[in-house]
Amino acid sequence: MRLINNLKFIVDNNVGKLAKWLRIMGYDTLFFDGINDSRMIATALAEGRVILTRDTQIMRRRVITSGQLKAILIKGDEPELQMRQVIDTLNLDCRFRPFTICLECNQLLVERSKRQVKDLVPPYVFQTQNQYMECPTCHRIYWRGTHWQAMTKKLNKLTQYQRKEEEF
Ligand SMILES: [Zn+2]
């Protein structure tokens, strides 16, 4: 029962860190400021997004109890445990489309050539990196530097956990 690859999310501010993780994996994920629950639900319904929240009130809404809208009540305190719960519940693929979405604004990144970013990245980056992506909205440039490597390592850890579970 893998697949479900085109899942989209809306993340409540009480589990805000999940937004970054899901974007790292390549899932279209909105961050909700937590002010107006009804607006979050309306957006989720209109755009077909799964709600992630720690708010039990939201889980009692009829639109959710009836199954019309999918929501997951997040249990753990640790972002990593929370992420595992989401991955396990929805059977998400950790290697879905890693590093294709801007971590800040949830926009699809666009590939850039080395020449195009010459004046936009630090010289040491330019010398050592060949692949670049740019966010069309905030114009942040992404490359596979140390930050990228650290995140990949964490993602792999979550994947390994997944594999181990499957073996038993
Ligand atoms: Zn951006």
Side-chain angles (χ1 to χ4, degrees), residues 107-152:
Q107 284 292 320
L108 263 185
L109 299 176
V110 181
E111 236 175 285
R112 290 286 177 246
S113 70
K114 198 164 173 165
R115 199 162 41 85
Q116 283 173 311
V117 302
K118 190 175 190 314
D119 300 320
L120 304 172
V121 299
Y124 73 90
V125 171
F126 186 76
Q127 278 168 18
T128 52
Q129 301 294 324
N130 292 315
Q131 281 184 307
Y132 299 91
M133 304 287 268
E134 180 180 352
C135 171
T137 303
C138 71
H139 300 290
R140 193 177 296 253
I141 307 285
Y142 289 84
W143 61 85
R144 303 189 172 207
T146 48
H147 185 52
W148 187 90
Q149 283 161 6
M151 292 192 294
T152 308

